[in-house]
Amino acid sequence: MKRTVGFAVLWAVMALLASAPLWGTLPEPASGRIDTAERYQDGVWTPVSLPQAGRPAGGWEHYRIRFDWDGRDPVYLYLPTISQRAVVEVAGERIADTENRTTLVSLASGVPALVALPGKLLERGGNQVDIRVQTLGLVPGYLSTLYVDKAERLAPYYRTRVFVLEYLRLMVPAGQLLIALVVLVVWLYRPQESLFGWLFLLLTTSMFVYLGMMRELLPTPVEAMYYAIMAGSAACEILVITVLLIAGVPVPRWLKITVPGVPAACILVSALGLVPPAQVVLFVNAPLNMLGQLAALAILVWAALARRVEEAWLLVLPLLLSTVAALHDFAIIMTWLDGPIFLSVYYRPAMMIGIAMILMRRLGLSLGRLDNINGYLTQRLREQERELERLHQDERRETAARALSEERRRLTADLHDGLSGHLASIIALSEREKSERVEGAAREALDDLRLVIHSLDIDDHELPVALAGLRERLERQLKRLGVAMDWSLAPLPEIAGVTPSHALNVLRILQEAITNALRHGGATRITVRGARSECGQACITVENDGRPFPRRPERGGEGLINMRRRVRQLNGVIDIEPLASGTRLTLLLPLRLPGAEPDQGQPDPVA
């Protein structure tokens, strides 16, 4: 929506500025006006009014004006518009010839002149000035209203006319040449886009009419301009081809043939002398130019309204203005309108702006598509990198798991077949020899070995399985000793990140707590509970009814030191609290256990 409104405002401003020549006029001096003259025709001076327009093209027209001079200040003769050459004489002496300054021979006619009237040739009172006007080519003769006054009063108006009628018109071919070079570069980089090639031909062939504006640089006979106009008439066919490509319509082959065919036929007919060049231009090339612009305009309007082609809207207004200007210029050539100023040159910038906007639009769309593709490829690359990283990590984990599993099986088999067998043999021999102490130590070693073997088979989230195995072994041991045990770990929350090392540490801590209760506390009842702590951690408490644990032990035994080390490896906290009758050990564990052992320099987690 914003883009549509922006284009609408832009074209509205352009239409207002571009239509100014149709309804606006250049400022003229307020004094010194001369609007009557005499024209010499058939040996007789005839009074005429100025401006004199619509005179047949070719030949000379002789005019004479009269003015009064007070003899004090120097005066100048200001000719706002003449077509195309003016020779000024005072008292029979030539004082100026506009051909020595500039002469435009083409569809860019009409120049101003400011001539100093020498005081030595003037008289106080009435004076007369002879003005001979020559017209060339197809441009009808024209002599505007004249002014005789001081230089400081006439110079600003003269400079304005020079800028508009000469400098501004010379800027147009320079700008068109620049756009043509830009289109050529784009076409060379994208030769598959035939539209750019036809745009380049359109811009170059339509520049042939500018050759007359560069007469000083390219001294060419007037007759050569007719052939330049014939060659440039290919632009009308190229314009139709261009708008067909913009509308997305296939270009007929016969239309492409007319691009070189029509100009070549016109040039051949004129060169052979079958038809005068001026007649060919006037009755063949000029009408074809009108028809080509009208056809192109109709195709653009159809493409914009019926097919909703956005690029067609970019050229509708410039082509409309160019067509109106071409009709205006054709009417001047046919003397249906007065004036030597051809508007086609001034409306070329609108066409160039439209072409530049098409190029910028296509460039913007290409950059937008390129950004989208780059964004898509970048996203896909990141996804592939993440996928490769994930696969790499999975492969590493699988490789490590396979190696660990193999090592577990090997170690388990070795322990079970080797050390476990030896302990079983020691127990059997102790029973035969009635050595209870040896038998007890061997049974403890065997239970401890089975605890290690069982922990090697524990995977993540399987801590309850390891705890259940510990309970089974403890119940048999405590039952032989006559110690009651209350075990309830079902409320314990799930703990993630469990490895065999983590499981063994937890089992060792609980085993050490129960062993200390039996060995040092003389407990007869042990209670093991699981729950979620107030801070959201997993909590395991072990209580016994034996002797209370001293609040400030003189030194910790080897078992207490081992428990502290194992708690640090679990990133947990352990608290040993003496009760009125017995001791309570509280173990707090995070819900996700660490993947590596913590730094040995961490503070002691035992409260």
Side-chain angles (χ1 to χ4, degrees):
M1 183 62 183
K2 292 182 179 179
R3 182 172 57 186
T4 303
V5 174
F7 279 129
V9 173
L10 174 63
W11 288 125
V13 174
M14 287 186 58
L16 180 63
L17 296 176
S19 62
L22 299 176
W23 49 264
T25 57
L26 293 174
E28 296 188 358
S31 60
R33 180 185 179 92
I34 300 176
D35 52 13
T36 59
E38 295 176 320
R39 184 176 72 239
Y40 186 75
Q41 187 175 7
D42 299 328
V44 179
W45 289 98
T46 305
V48 294
S49 60
L50 299 178
Q52 278 290 298
R55 305 298 297 168
W60 288 87
E61 294 284 338
H62 188 182
Y63 296 92
R64 177 175 290 170
I65 63 170
R66 302 180 186 277
F67 68 95
D68 294 331
W69 182 51
D70 57 10
R72 291 181 298 178
D73 299 323
V75 292
Y76 285 74
L77 172 64
Y78 172 44
L79 298 82
T81 310
I82 53 176
S83 175
Q84 289 165 305
R85 176 187 179 188
V87 176
V88 181
E89 297 177 351
V90 176
E93 182 177 338
R94 178 179 295 188
I95 62 173
D97 186 350
T98 59
E99 186 179 31
N100 298 328
R101 185 175 59 85
T102 179
T103 301
L104 303 179
V105 184
S106 69
L107 297 182
S109 182
V111 294
L114 184 64
V115 180
L117 300 178
K120 63 180 181 179
L121 300 178
L122 300 179
E123 299 178 355
R124 289 181 180 272
N127 291 272
Q128 67 180 27
V129 178
D130 291 308
I131 304 172
R132 301 177 187 272
V133 178
Q134 182 187 24
T135 58
L136 303 171
L138 300 175
V139 183
Y142 185 88
L143 179 63
S144 65
T145 303
L146 306 178
Y147 296 86
V148 176
D149 208 335
K150 299 177 182 180
E152 59 269 18
R153 295 178 181 176
L154 300 177
Y157 302 95
Y158 170 69
R159 287 193 291 267
T160 301
R161 292 263 177 168
V162 169
F163 174 77
V164 174
L165 299 181
E166 297 184 32
Y167 295 163
L168 190 59
R169 284 192 297 209
L170 290 174
M171 293 179 189
V172 175
Q176 186 167 339
L177 179 61
L178 177 61
I179 296 295
L181 293 176
V182 172
V183 175
L184 175 61
V185 172
V186 175
W187 183 35
L188 292 177
Y189 277 98
R190 294 187 62 83
Q192 68 274 18
E193 292 280 353
S194 59
L195 174 63
F196 298 138
W198 288 108
L199 282 176
F200 173 71
L201 291 177
L202 174 63
L203 292 169
T204 51
T205 54
S206 61
M207 291 184 67
F208 290 163
V209 296
Y210 295 142
L211 296 177
M213 298 172 60
M214 305 174 186
R215 188 179 181 189
E216 288 76 13
L217 300 176
L218 302 172
T220 306
V222 176
E223 290 75 13
M225 276 305 305
Y226 293 120
Y227 295 100
I229 295 174
M230 293 177 195
S233 65
C236 63
E237 292 91 352
I238 298 175
L239 178 61
V240 176
I241 294 175
T242 300
V243 298
L244 286 175
L245 291 175
I246 292 175
V249 178
V251 180
R253 184 178 180 183
W254 63 265
L255 184 57
K256 295 181 180 179
I257 296 176
T258 61
V259 173
V262 172
C266 294
I267 293 174
L268 181 62
V269 169
S270 299
L272 294 177
L274 301 178
V275 181
Q279 299 299 318
V280 174
V281 171
L282 188 61
F283 296 107
V284 177
N285 298 116
L288 281 178
N289 183 51
M290 297 296 100
L291 291 176
Q293 294 202 49
L294 290 173
L297 181 61
I299 294 172
L300 276 181
V301 172
W302 167 76
L305 297 178
R307 306 194 70 171
R308 300 188 180 279
V309 179
E310 290 187 12
E311 290 183 347
W313 286 107
L314 301 178
L315 279 183
V316 166
L317 180 60
L319 188 55
L320 175 61
L321 295 174
S322 179
T323 303
V324 172
L327 294 173
H328 171 272
D329 297 348
F330 186 72
I332 288 180
I333 293 175
M334 301 301 295
T335 68
W336 299 337
L337 289 178
D338 295 337
I341 308 301
F342 291 96
L343 299 181
S344 297
V345 176
Y346 295 97
Y347 286 98
R348 290 292 176 86
M351 285 292 294
M352 289 187 286
I353 292 175
I355 293 173
M357 293 177 68
I358 290 177
L359 293 177
M360 293 301 101
R361 178 182 180 274
R362 295 204 170 192
L363 177 61
L365 292 177
S366 299
L367 291 177
R369 287 193 292 266
L370 182 61
D371 290 340
N372 292 336
I373 293 174
N374 285 338
Y376 172 76
L377 293 178
T378 301
Q379 181 181 359
R380 290 290 299 166
L381 179 61
R382 290 174 180 171
E383 291 176 356
Q384 292 297 323
E385 288 177 348
R386 288 194 294 267
E387 181 67 16
L388 289 174
E389 180 65 21
R390 185 187 64 80
L391 293 176
H392 179 64
Q393 294 296 335
D394 290 346
E395 184 178 1
R396 290 181 59 185
R397 284 193 294 268
E398 291 177 1
T399 302
R402 286 194 298 269
L404 181 60
S405 179
E406 291 294 332
E407 187 64 18
R408 284 180 187 174
R409 283 194 291 269
R410 185 191 66 79
L411 182 58
T412 301
D414 290 344
L415 291 174
H416 185 273
D417 297 340
L419 186 57
S420 179
H422 292 305
L423 292 174
S425 299
I426 293 173
I427 293 173
L429 291 174
S430 300
E431 288 177 349
R432 281 200 301 268
E433 299 294 333
K434 305 297 182 178
S435 179
E436 296 180 358
R437 293 183 62 185
V438 175
E439 178 186 355
R443 288 187 183 278
E444 289 181 3
L446 183 59
D447 288 340
D448 189 67
L449 177 61
R450 288 173 178 171
L451 180 68
V452 174
I453 294 174
H454 183 63
S455 67
L456 291 176
D457 292 329
I458 299 301
D459 291 327
D460 193 13
H461 301 285
E462 292 186 353
L463 183 61
V465 177
L467 294 173
L470 177 64
R471 174 186 179 182
E472 181 180 355
R473 287 189 293 274
L474 289 175
E475 282 181 340
R476 292 196 303 267
Q477 179 183 0
L478 296 177
K479 186 175 182 181
R480 288 197 305 268
L481 299 174
V483 177
M485 185 176 69
D486 184 6
W487 185 284
S488 178
L489 291 180
L492 187 70
E494 184 178 7
I495 299 176
V498 177
T499 64
S501 176
H502 294 147
L504 182 60
N505 284 334
V506 174
L507 298 180
R508 288 292 196 193
I509 292 172
L510 297 181
Q511 185 185 45
E512 184 68 22
I514 294 174
T515 300
N516 288 340
L518 296 175
R519 184 177 301 169
H520 304 293
T524 61
R525 184 176 184 83
I526 298 175
T527 303
V528 181
R529 293 281 186 269
R532 181 186 292 271
S533 68
E534 295 179 356
C535 58
Q537 292 181 306
C539 177
I540 301 177
T541 60
V542 180
E543 293 186 12
N544 64 79
D545 59 352
R547 289 186 297 274
F549 183 78
R551 291 186 177 274
R552 296 183 179 273
E554 295 182 0
R555 61 182 182 88
E558 189 67 26
L560 184 57
I561 294 174
N562 289 335
M563 280 196 292
R564 290 174 176 174
R565 176 177 56 81
R566 296 182 188 280
V567 168
R568 279 197 297 270
Q569 294 175 1
L570 296 170
N571 274 2
V573 176
I574 189 171
D575 179 43
I576 302 176
E577 178 186 3
L579 304 177
S581 176
T583 302
R584 178 190 297 127
L585 181 144
T586 303
L587 174 63
L588 297 178
L589 298 174
L591 298 184
R592 171 168 289 279
L593 297 178
E597 292 186 4
D599 186 3
Q600 298 299 324
Q602 290 183 350
D604 190 351
V606 179

